[in-house]
Amino acid sequence: MAVAEEEDYREILFWVHTLGYRGHVMSKSRQFSTTMTALREHRAAWRKERGQQGAESASTQDDSDAPTQWEFERVGHISLGDRVLVVSAFGRAREQRFAARSAMTEGA
């Protein structure tokens, strides 16, 4: 009987060495992945380049079209339909909570 059980788990034995391994196999291979250092260096170079471009474009940009301050537009729902949908969804959720609560008290 023990031999039959070992045959059932034969394929799993090929993967026993990966138990407890917390990373993805492809991300650990240098052939298929890049290092985190390379990613950080590339991101830093990109940010530095974008920062220089942003400073150059800011100095040449005409500020007459730019808004001088933020303005408050609105709060709440855009239309009556949006309000109806939200209120009805809230009502359904509340009914489900009440039903679940009463079911738990009846079951106990």
Side-chain angles (χ1 to χ4, degrees):
M1 189 73 165
V3 175
E5 289 177 3
E6 288 179 8
E7 289 179 1
D8 291 341
Y9 296 106
R10 182 173 301 211
E11 292 179 24
I12 294 175
L13 293 175
F14 292 112
W15 298 100
V16 168
H17 67 282
T18 62
L19 290 174
Y21 181 68
R22 296 181 56 117
H24 192 274
V25 176
M26 296 301 284
S27 66
K28 302 298 179 184
S29 171
R30 291 191 186 265
Q31 181 179 2
F32 295 105
S33 182
T34 183
T35 63
M36 291 304 290
T37 303
L39 290 173
R40 279 191 293 272
E41 289 172 355
H42 180 70
R43 184 170 45 244
W46 182 83
R47 285 185 177 168
K48 185 177 179 181
E49 178 184 324
R50 295 289 291 197
Q52 289 173 353
Q53 287 177 357
E56 292 170 2
S57 66
S59 63
T60 60
Q61 185 180 20
D62 184 18
D63 291 336
S64 63
D65 294 334
T68 57
Q69 65 185 20
W70 290 93
E71 295 180 13
F72 181 78
E73 188 173 335
R74 73 173 165 277
V75 66
H77 306 291
I78 297 173
S79 68
L80 180 61
D82 289 343
R83 180 173 166 75
V84 168
L85 288 173
V86 169
V87 169
S88 63
F90 171 75
R92 284 192 307 271
R94 184 176 51 189
E95 289 174 9
Q96 288 176 352
R97 281 195 311 271
F98 288 150
R101 199 173 297 143
S102 64
M104 286 177 61
T105 57
E106 290 173 4

